[in-house]
Amino acid sequence: MASKLRQLQAKACQATQYLSKHGEVYYKQMLEQNKEYIQEPPTVETCQRLANQLFYTRLASLPGRREALWKEVEQVKQVWKNRKDTKVEEVGVAALFGLECFAWFCAGEIIGRGFTITGYKV
């Protein structure tokens, strides 16, 4: 156990040295490649204005999203009306999708409880 800890410390030390040598170069390169997204001047007021733009743009997109939702609901209703004409493949895909949604829900619940199955930490 102690030898693995020493190996981990050595690797962490190597990573720190690498970042101290090359981190600034990577940072500058990343900023240069993405300079089209940087707002001038980079101040708190500019950031607040951008945050407000994002919030109100997303708020303005809600009617379009609502309309798309109702279109999908209508499609589901049509499929349900014609359920006797559905193929086994379509039912299988729908079942797998439902199973995947349930699995993601369960995983989220486990993560929310701190990676415990019962919710109690030992």
Side-chain angles (χ1 to χ4, degrees):
M1 181 72 177
S3 65
K4 290 198 181 229
L5 182 61
R6 286 192 188 107
Q7 287 175 349
L8 183 62
Q9 285 176 338
K11 287 185 180 185
C13 185
Q14 287 174 350
T16 303
Q17 289 173 353
Y18 180 82
L19 282 175
S20 66
K21 287 182 183 178
H22 304 289
E24 187 175 347
V25 173
Y26 174 74
Y27 174 76
K28 287 181 180 180
Q29 179 185 14
M30 183 181 61
L31 284 180
E32 185 62 33
Q33 288 174 348
N34 296 300
K35 67 181 174 185
E36 64 187 274
Y37 303 112
I38 298 174
Q39 291 291 314
E40 293 295 333
T43 61
V44 173
E45 291 80 16
T46 304
C47 291
Q48 186 61 44
R49 184 177 56 81
L50 289 172
N52 286 338
Q53 283 179 339
L54 176 65
F55 175 75
Y56 288 108
T57 300
R58 289 197 174 169
L59 195 62
S61 72
L62 286 178
R65 292 180 186 189
R66 183 177 177 267
E67 184 178 316
L69 170 73
W70 287 114
K71 282 182 183 177
E72 289 188 26
V73 167
E74 287 301 320
Q75 288 176 346
V76 169
K77 285 181 182 178
Q78 288 299 323
V79 168
W80 186 253
K81 283 181 184 176
N82 301 326
R83 65 184 177 268
K84 294 181 181 182
D85 299 334
T86 57
K87 299 176 186 172
V88 175
E89 292 88 7
E90 293 172 350
V91 173
V93 168
L96 283 174
F97 178 73
L99 185 64
E100 183 181 4
C101 289
F102 181 72
W104 278 111
F105 170 77
C106 290
E109 286 290 311
I110 291 169
I111 291 168
R113 286 193 298 260
F115 296 97
T116 60
I117 301 298
T118 61
Y120 296 107
K121 290 188 179 184
V122 178

